[in-house]
Each structure stands twice: as structure tokens, then as C-alpha cells.
Amino acid sequence: MQTFGELIDHGDALGQVLQSTPVLEAVEPPLSEAQGLVLEGDLYARFDSPMHENSAMDGFALRSADAEVGRVFPVVDEAPAGSPATKGVGEGEAVKVFTGGVIPEGADAVVPVENTSGYGAEFELKSPVRSGANVRGSGEDVREGELMLSDGAEIGPSEIALAASQGYGSLPVRRRPRVVVFSTGTELVEPGSRELSPGEVYDSNSYALLAQAREAGAGVSRMASATDDPGAIRSAMSQALESADIVVTSGGVSMGERDLVKEMLLELGVEQRFWGIKLKPGKPVFYGTREDVRFFGLPGNPVSAMVCFELFVRPAISRMMGRREREDPGRPRTEVYFDEAVENKFGRTHAMRVSLTRTDRGWRAESVGAQGSGLISSLTKADALAMIGPECEGVAAGEPVEAIVLRPGVLTSPETPAGG
Ligand code: AMP
Ligand code: MG
């Protein structure tokens, strides 16, 4: 029987993953495909935006010095968005303008049509107009040469808007990692295919891991589960290793006779980096590399698989995408405390599923209940993983504990009850 040997610390394991995982090369996809990716290099404004002074309203451009209430203005030209007027505005004159229309020569203010007698060859001014009213200054959004987005910025809708407004049709970003997931286990049945026979379970892990990888920003694909048979595992594995930057499997990495994943990997030339972590849940995690491919063999217990994905695979995806260490916007860290002492006699870091409540002392963590590694329903209740130990045998009531927030929305949710 193969045994784990010395288990490594959770922090060391993460360190090894990050240290052996490169940032992927830069690519330049069209804007519409850059969402969720990380900018490579700083991005500067190409020109003053808006390029020209323009109107913020539909109305008339005029000289504010002429703007006495009751005065009648002849309308000498018009300037819809996209076609500047050919005439300037002389003393006592006005040019009809539309929102976005360029402010004509001579004018310094726009009076909205509702403050006049209305459209026509002339109009009467109904209310005063100060200089600069309803005029958008050139360069008031960004100035030519200004740093708009810094290297490492996560591209979301606002970043796409800004880049597009400056005429960028594509953006240099780090390539999206390709993650392939599959489960191993003879007992597994494809959800939706048929009823279970005694002893069988539906393959929930590959769907869970697929969703987690996608949530982390990876390009994902899932393969059908492999039985606990050397041939089946080897052929699934070699297929996955062909096309992936990261392969994630579940099951078959413990010390049982049917736990063949590690053996098959070594046969296929994957170099073992570690196997066995001082972690609960998730002790038997295997991590290895083969050239450019990272391989994570996660345990089959559904909670272990998902928690270990959070702790090791997600950071690897983030690294490949070019996010800075510990700057995963989707997984902020925060200090939490427990109302009562929490023991940890396992000698391993306990990644404890907790719910969070805001109180006047900070974030109070509370166990979601039983912490068994098969309790998938517990994950739907967890806001965070509180990382306890292993250097201590638990934490005292009120003692600060670092937590990885799985649902960043709770940190800002107004619904979180205050008090406590
Ligand atoms: P293993 O790590 O292969 O020993 O599996 C540990 C436990 O997790 C067993 O109870 C398995 O039935 C269960 N399990 C393994 N793979 C999956 C999966 N893909 N989906 C749901 N449960 C699984
Ligand atoms: Mg198994």
C-alpha cells in the first residue's frame, strides 16, 4: 500500500502551487471577449475625451453675455450630434444643438429648449444662463496620455466601456486558462441519465468543479467520469492532459486499493509535487506538473473536492490569468471571530464552513452545522472558510481568525443584520 509520508502544511502547499504555476502569455482578443480577463500592461488615453466641447442638452448654444431673460434670438444654424454647425454664434445669435452636438464657435453656454419659447426660426429666452451651462468640456472624462487602466486590472463592463470610448477594439490580456475536469469512481452515475442502484451516487463533483473553474474565469470542459479501472483512468487522463492548462479530477487519490489516480499520473510522466496536506477537509490532495500542465487530483468527498478547489486550484487559475497574489477580487479575505471557543484537535488546518454576520465587533463566524465532508448541503449555507490551526489546538472566543470569503456579496449586503 502507498502511504502519504509526511503531510505538508496548507500554506506550503499553496506556495508550491503558485511557485510552479506560470502566468500565461498575453493575447489580444476583441473587446467583447476580454471580459473577466486581466489586463497585460498599462493602458493610456489616446486623445482628450470628449474630443470637443459638446452639449449636454437639446437646446440652443449662445453667448452667456447676451442671455437676458426676454431677449429674442435668431437661430442661425444647427449642430446635431456628429455634424458640427458651419456657422459660429455671433452677438445675439443662437445655434440649435442636440445632446452630444459640438458647441459652435463663439458660444459658451447651452440653454435647454424647455427654458425657451421653443423650436422655430427664433426663440425667446425664459430663464438666465450662466457661462459654461450644459457644456461638456473637452478632456473632462480622460486626457490624452492619461493612465486609464493599470497593468493587472480586471476587465469588467466599465473597463470595456472606457477602452471602447478611446477607440480600442481589442485589449492585451492574459490568456484564459483551459481547465478540464473529470471524476473517477465506478459508483458514479451521470445526473439525469437514470435512477441510482444501491451503492451508486450521482457524479456531482465534476459539475461542481466545472462551475468553480468557470466562476474563477477559466475556459472549461468536462469529461464523462472514469471507472476505477487503470485503463479507463489512463485514457481519460491522457486525453485531458492533451488540451488543458490545468486538469482537475476527483476521487481515487486516497490510500485505498482502488485509488489509482496518482499511479496513472506518474505512469503518464506527471511529476509529483506533493501528495497529502495537513488539511481538513482534503488531506489526500495530489498535485503534480507535466511540462505546461498542472494536475490536481482532488479527493472524492464532495466537500473536500470543492474546498480544495477553492484553496489550491482557484489560486492557480488566478495566477495563470495574471491576478496578483491574494488579489482575487472574487475571494476577499477578512478577519472573523467566534462567539465561543472552537477546538481543532486534528493537527491539520481546518477550513471550516461558516456563515458570517456583521456585528459591532466585526464579522462573527458561526459553523454552518455538521462539517462532514460529504455534506454538500452545508456548502450552500457557507459564506466563508475560516482557517483554523494547525499550529494551535483551536481558537478562543473572540480571537481573530482569517477567513476566505466565498460570497463576497455578504460583506456589503445591507441585509446582514447588525448588532450581536
Ligand atoms: P474517493 O475519494 O474516491 O475514495 O471517494 C470518497 C467519497 O466521495 C465516496 O463516498 C465517493 O462515493 C464520493 N464521491 C467520489 N466521487 C464523487 C463524485 N464525482 N460525485 C459525488 N461523490 C463522489
Ligand atoms: Mg473512489
Side-chain angles (χ1 to χ4, degrees), residues 184-188 228 250-253 258-259 300:
T184 69
T186 303
E187 76 279 29
L188 301 178
D228 293 315
S250 89
V253 286
R258 300 270 169 96
D259 291 333

Coordinates of all heavy atoms in Angstrom, one line a residue, residues 184-188 228 250-253 258-259 300, ligand 2:
T184 N -13.5 10.4 -11.1 CA -13.3 8.9 -11.2 C -14.1 8.2 -10.1 O -14.3 8.8 -9.0 CB -11.8 8.6 -10.9 OG1 -11.5 8.9 -9.6 CG2 -10.9 9.4 -11.8
G185 N -14.5 7.0 -10.4 CA -15.3 6.3 -9.4 C -16.3 5.4 -10.2 O -17.1 5.9 -10.9
T186 N -16.2 4.1 -9.9 CA -17.1 3.1 -10.5 C -18.6 3.3 -10.1 O -19.5 3.0 -10.8 CB -16.6 1.7 -10.2 OG1 -15.2 1.6 -10.7 CG2 -17.4 0.6 -10.9
E187 N -18.7 3.9 -8.9 CA -20.1 4.1 -8.4 C -20.8 5.3 -9.0 O -22.0 5.5 -8.6 CB -20.0 4.2 -6.8 CG -19.5 5.6 -6.3 CD -18.0 5.8 -6.3 OE1 -17.3 5.2 -7.1 OE2 -17.5 6.6 -5.5
L188 N -20.1 6.0 -9.9 CA -20.7 7.3 -10.3 C -21.7 7.1 -11.5 O -21.5 6.3 -12.4 CB -19.6 8.2 -10.7 CG -18.6 8.6 -9.6 CD1 -17.5 9.5 -10.2 CD2 -19.3 9.2 -8.4
D228 N -13.1 3.1 -11.8 CA -11.8 2.9 -11.1 C -11.1 1.7 -11.7 O -10.9 0.6 -11.1 CB -12.1 2.5 -9.6 CG -12.7 3.7 -8.8 OD1 -12.2 4.8 -9.0 OD2 -13.7 3.5 -8.1
S250 N -11.5 14.3 -9.5 CA -12.0 14.0 -8.2 C -12.0 12.5 -8.0 O -12.3 11.7 -8.9 CB -13.4 14.6 -7.9 OG -14.4 13.7 -8.3
G251 N -11.7 12.1 -6.8 CA -11.7 10.7 -6.4 C -10.4 10.0 -6.7 O -9.6 10.4 -7.4
G252 N -10.3 8.8 -6.0 CA -9.2 7.9 -6.3 C -7.8 8.4 -5.9 O -6.8 7.9 -6.5
V253 N -7.7 9.3 -5.0 CA -6.3 9.8 -4.6 C -6.0 9.4 -3.1 O -4.9 9.8 -2.6 CB -6.1 11.3 -4.8 CG1 -6.0 11.6 -6.2 CG2 -7.2 12.1 -4.1
R258 N -8.3 0.8 -4.7 CA -8.9 1.3 -5.9 C -8.5 2.8 -6.3 O -9.0 3.4 -7.2 CB -10.4 1.2 -5.9 CG -11.0 -0.2 -5.6 CD -11.2 -0.8 -7.0 NE -11.5 -2.2 -6.8 CZ -12.7 -2.8 -6.8 NH1 -13.7 -2.0 -6.8 NH2 -12.8 -4.1 -6.6
D259 N -7.6 3.3 -5.5 CA -7.2 4.7 -5.7 C -6.0 4.7 -6.6 O -4.9 4.7 -6.2 CB -6.9 5.4 -4.3 CG -8.2 5.5 -3.5 OD1 -9.3 5.6 -4.1 OD2 -8.1 5.6 -2.3
G300 N -12.5 12.5 -3.5 CA -13.8 12.3 -4.0 C -14.9 12.9 -3.1 O -16.0 13.3 -3.6
Ligands
MG2 MG -13.4 6.4 -5.4

